[in-house]
């Protein structure tokens, strides 16, 4: 049994108990000196020697916050220089506080609906978007950037001359010639502004890092943590409070000791979770006997919080500021009791509106089970999910409204379900369709609680910690999708990782366009309410300028994205001129990130960090993420999530050494709080553990990702194990090929690489499918030549592209992942036809 802890009260009702754990002797890694890169700036600046940690990361801490990490003796001088630049009012630059935010069209109105910490702003989607700038060829050093290149990047001659002067001053002001030092200075002085053309941001960033050798130094870095700010993050405060007690003299500060503390959390999860649970709004009706019980050896992942009884939805509604929301949730809970039988599974198939959140929390509060269905699903897919979950009813809308158009939703649900449907109107107070006899309008549904003396009051249904509260589904490309149950532990994991990794705090405004049909829907509900942040929900398409205007006007401080959204924003230019500078960090998940798209996104908020997240529904969160305590690189993950451990396996299932750059399949340590221990329609043991090796007495958990560990300890996702290919006896991933192809020609919007065996046998052939940017026209043979050269130059000289096929779009799963299997089947069919001809 794990150690006993007192968790009977949350932090909102008492002062946290100070634990007195024993000291742990963990060795810090040694540091070694390394020479600086070749000098990049003009000859009058001295090259400096840099001390780099053994993992390849720069030891010195730089900040993207003006003046906060300059050395004490230089602080006044540096601040004075920036103030002088501001007073000059340099044309073409948006210096902080100098140029007002541009006014926007006033052809519509802004409406606000506030429900405690829920804020919904509905903004007209009428703004015109223009095409974004194309990419520039990079390769010159920053000192060689001339006025001509700056003009090509989108500046006027006058602006280019002034920008050149300020850029040179920033480069000369860097303490050392190391590219990361130079970039840190460029960002700290805000030489680049969100209003500058993307081509200029590309030019400067790639010129700064023109001579950066990724093979020896890892990916180039764009964001650096501040020691002052790190101590005021959630996890930083925790480390400052408990680090010296837990790590002894090995503890230095949140930045220096982050990796050490993460390893400690893996080795001692009971200690870590006993501290974090006091920081979240988790109120136990009955306290757990312990944090983790590992006595049942049949459970690879152990038993978490055994004996605990609670209602996780009640925990979300505790703050007094949520009175209006709490009353609406309780009204719906009373109506549910009058309509369904306790324990019933009830589906939600509608956009993520305020009402969807209210319904979700009410179902959990009243002791029912949410069935998550994405509003994009066809009737057949809805039917499958209702059947697998044994749902007894479903909440939906009459229509989905996007860009002023109505798309039927109720009719799809009716086609799929003989079940009782509760129908909400997309617009106004009344539904605009004819209901079936067994169905209820939202108004009639709520009226079922009218007979109660207090319809807005409800006593929560308390259940054991392992009670199922939500059934979610995998994407499901063949057969039935996996039905993945979330217990009351899963939301705790979601909120804890948001608290620790993304630093979501009281007063933050979290916005993440998603849907309750995917894990990110429930994730952001719990991530906001259990940390005390506000949740901002936009009713409309996130692809349009209206969404960006909403982000600006709602004062969003943490913006979540998926890479395909960012690509659209960048390529259409629809967010140009909007002020996103209140954003303190971004988050990204769902797909593999594109480096240039990440560059564009981060630049919208003066190069704030993008916390990359990679995990899964069955984990309730991520296993690798970005970190507020480590320098960040575009499209890469800098850290393992707290309490999560894994190894990277070679082709024989043997783990690579932890400090070795490598590529292989992930094997997760099985003790993951919040991870599934069952599936409703599949053998959990077979899906996640069959065929996985034993490592240090642990049966590793399968996740299916192929990842690359770089020099310096960063991680880059290479795709799924199913998407690997064997080219000339060398294993590589689709994502790795696609990264190179996407950069090979400016006409490429996105690519998808697959391999296929020739009909007559022989080595696998590499085929690249391509979607072109709007307005571009290329020949497949021309792209084939460019792709082959780029792949041979960047990956392997033996690789070559056999075919290029240009298509209007890629087949995708409902969660927007490319169906390479479909592309593979398509090319096999075409090869078969060609052979017969």
């Amino acid at each position: 049994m794990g150690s006993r802890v007192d968790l009977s009260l949350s932090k909102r009702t008492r002062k946290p108990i100070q634990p007195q754990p024993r000291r742990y002797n963990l060795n810090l890694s040694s540091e070694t000196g390394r020479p600086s890169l070749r000098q990049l700036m003009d000859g009058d600046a001295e090259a400096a020697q840099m001390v780099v940690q053994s993992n390849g990361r720069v030891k010195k801490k730089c900040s993207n916050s003006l003046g906060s990490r300059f050395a004490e003796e230089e602080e006044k001088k540096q601040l004075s220089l920036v103030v002088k630049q501001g007073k000059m009012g340099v044309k073409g630059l948006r210096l902080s506080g100098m140029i007002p935010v541009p006014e926007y069209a006033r052809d519509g109105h802004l409406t606000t609906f506030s429900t405690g910490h829920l804020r919904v702003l509905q903004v007209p989607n009428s703004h015109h978007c223009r095409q974004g700038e194309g990419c520039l060829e990079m390769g010159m050093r920053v000192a060689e950037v001339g006025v001509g290149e700056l003009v090509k990047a989108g500046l006027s001659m006058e602006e280019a001359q002034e920008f050149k002067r300020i850029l040179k001053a920033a480069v000369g002001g860097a303490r050392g010639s190391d590219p990361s030092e130079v970039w840190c200075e460029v960002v700290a002085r805000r030489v680049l502004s969100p209003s500058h053309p993307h081509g200029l941001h590309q030019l400067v960033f790639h010129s700064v890092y023109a001579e950066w050798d990724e093979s020896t130094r890892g990916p180039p870095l764009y964001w650096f943590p501040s020691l002052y700010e790190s101590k005021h993050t959630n996890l930083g405060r925790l480390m400052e409070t408990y680090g010296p007690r837990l790590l002894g003299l090995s503890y230095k500060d949140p930045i220096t000791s982050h990796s050490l503390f993460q390893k400690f959390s893996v080795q001692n999860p009971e200690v870590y979770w006993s501290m974090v649970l006091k920081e979240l709004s988790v109120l136990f009706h009955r306290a757990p006997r312990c944090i983790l019980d590992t006595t049942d050896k049949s459970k690879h992942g152990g038993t978490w919080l055994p004996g605990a009884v609670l209602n996780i939805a009640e925990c979300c509604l505790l703050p007094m500021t949520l009175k209006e929301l709490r009353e609406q949730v309780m009204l719906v809970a009373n109506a549910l009791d009058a309509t369904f039988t306790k324990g019933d599974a009830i589906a939600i198939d509608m956009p993520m509106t305020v009402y969807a959140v209210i319904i979700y929390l009410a179902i959990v509060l009243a002791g029912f089970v949410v069935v998550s269905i994405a509003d994009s699903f066809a009737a057949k897919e809805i039917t499958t999910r209702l059947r697998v979950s044994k749902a007894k009813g479903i909440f939906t809308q009459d229509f989905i409204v996007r860009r002023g158009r109505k798309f039927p939703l109720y009719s799809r649900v009716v086609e799929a379900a003989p079940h009782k449907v509760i129908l909400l109107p997309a617009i106004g107070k009344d539904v605009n369709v004819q209901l079936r006899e067994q169905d209820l309008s939202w108004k009639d549904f709520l009226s079922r609680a009218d007979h109660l003396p207090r319809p807005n009051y409800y006593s929560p249904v308390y259940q054991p910690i392992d009670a199922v509260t939500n059934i979610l589904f995998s994407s499901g490309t063949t057969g039935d999708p996996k039905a993945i149950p979330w217990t009351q532990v899963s939301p705790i994991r979601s909120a804890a990782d948001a608290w620790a990794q993304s630093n979501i705090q009281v007063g933050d405004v979290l916005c993440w366009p998603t849907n309750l049909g995917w894990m990110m829907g429930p994730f952001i509900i719990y991530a906001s309410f259990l940390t005390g942040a506000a949740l901002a929900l936009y009713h409309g398409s996130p692809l349009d300028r209206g969404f960006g205007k909403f982000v600006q006007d709602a004062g969003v401080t943490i913006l979540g994205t998926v890479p395909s959204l960012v690509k659209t924003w960048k390529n259409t230019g629809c967010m140009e001129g909007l002020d996103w500078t209140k954003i303190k960090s971004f988050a990204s998940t769902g797909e593999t990130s594109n480096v240039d798209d990440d560059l564009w996104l981060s630049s919208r908020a003066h190069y704030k960090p993008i916390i990359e997240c990679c995990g899964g529904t069955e984990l309730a969160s991520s296993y690798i993420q970005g970190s507020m305590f480590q320098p960040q690189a575009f499209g890469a993950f800098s850290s393992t999530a707290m309490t999560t451990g894994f190894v990277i396996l070679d082709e024989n299932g043997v783990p690579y050494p932890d400090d070795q750059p490598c590529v292989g399949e992930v094997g997760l340590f099985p003790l993951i709080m919040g991870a599934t221990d069952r599936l409703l329609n599949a053998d959990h043991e077979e899906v996640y553990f069959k065929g996985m090796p034993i490592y240090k007495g642990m049966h590793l958990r399968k996740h299916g990702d192929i990842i690359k560990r770089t020099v310096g300890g960063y991680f880059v996702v290479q795709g799924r194990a199913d998407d690997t290919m064997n080219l000339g006896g060398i294993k590589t991933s689709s994502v790795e090929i696609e990264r190179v192809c996407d950069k090979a020609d400016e006409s490429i919007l996105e690519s998808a690489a697959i391999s296929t065996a020739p009909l007559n046998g022989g080595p696998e052939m590499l085929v690249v499918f391509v979607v072109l940017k709007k307005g571009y026209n290329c020949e497949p043979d021309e792209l084939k030549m460019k792709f082959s050269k780029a792949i041979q130059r960047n990956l392997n000289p033996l690789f070559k592209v056999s075919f290029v096929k240009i298509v209007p779009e890629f087949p995708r799963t409902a969660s927007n992942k490319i169906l390479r299997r479909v592309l593979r089947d398509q090319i096999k069919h075409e090869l078969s036809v060609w052979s017969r001809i």
Side-chain angles (χ1 to χ4, degrees), residues 231-466:
K231 289 181 178 181
H232 289 80
T233 62
N234 295 324
L235 190 57
R237 286 187 292 101
L238 196 77
M239 282 192 274
E240 286 287 275
T241 301
Y242 298 103
R245 302 182 193 180
L246 300 176
L247 303 180
L249 296 177
S250 295
Y251 183 80
K252 305 301 180 186
D253 58 67
I255 293 177
T256 306
S257 304
H258 171 262
S259 295
L260 194 62
F261 192 73
Q262 195 280 332
K263 291 177 183 177
F264 172 87
S265 75
V266 175
Q267 297 164 358
N268 305 276
E270 300 98 329
V271 177
Y272 176 82
W273 285 112
S274 68
M275 296 183 294
V276 171
L277 281 170
K278 295 168 188 172
E279 300 291 334
L280 303 174
S281 296
V282 177
L283 180 65
F284 291 102
H285 185 68
R286 184 187 303 153
R289 296 190 302 271
C290 61
I291 297 290
L292 173 63
D293 181 356
T294 58
T295 55
D296 186 348
K297 299 305 178 183
S298 67
K299 292 186 175 182
H300 302 298
T303 302
W304 291 91
L305 307 176
V309 176
L310 76 159
N311 186 295
I312 196 66
E314 180 194 30
C315 299
C316 293
L317 300 171
L318 288 175
M320 295 303 296
T321 55
L322 298 179
K323 182 176 183 293
E324 183 185 351
L325 173 65
R326 184 164 53 247
E327 289 182 349
Q328 292 187 50
V329 170
M330 289 183 172
L331 173 61
V332 174
N334 279 313
L336 285 168
D337 275 351
T339 309
F340 297 98
T341 303
K342 281 296 184 201
D344 280 353
I346 305 168
I348 303 176
D349 183 357
M350 58 187 292
M352 192 157 180
T353 63
V354 170
Y355 293 106
V357 173
I358 290 170
I359 294 165
Y360 184 97
L361 291 173
I363 292 174
V364 178
L365 188 73
F368 298 95
V369 179
V370 177
V371 178
S372 294
I373 300 179
D375 62 8
S376 59
F377 282 143
K380 182 180 178 182
E381 292 170 311
I382 298 171
T383 300
T384 298
R385 285 154 177 79
L386 293 174
R387 171 177 53 79
V388 171
S389 65
K390 300 178 181 178
K392 303 301 183 183
I394 182 169
F395 286 86
T396 191
Q397 284 184 185
D398 48 5
F399 298 98
I400 298 174
V401 180
R402 289 287 186 270
R403 302 178 184 179
R405 297 178 58 194
K406 289 183 178 181
F407 299 91
L409 181 55
Y410 175 64
S411 59
R412 261 191 282 147
V413 171
V414 166
E415 182 183 348
H419 309 72
K420 183 182 296 294
V421 175
I422 295 97
L423 187 63
L424 287 81
I427 301 173
K429 296 182 179 180
D430 298 311
V431 296
N432 293 313
V433 294
Q434 183 67 40
L435 272 66
R436 298 177 305 179
E437 184 177 349
Q438 70 265 38
D439 298 338
L440 290 169
S441 70
W442 177 244
K443 186 186 299 183
D444 290 341
F445 168 74
L446 294 180
S447 70
R448 294 194 164 197
D450 287 348
H451 68 284
L452 298 173
R454 298 175 64 189
N456 291 326
Y457 174 79
Y458 192 89
S459 181
V461 175
Y462 297 108
Q463 299 190 86
I465 189 74
D466 61 351

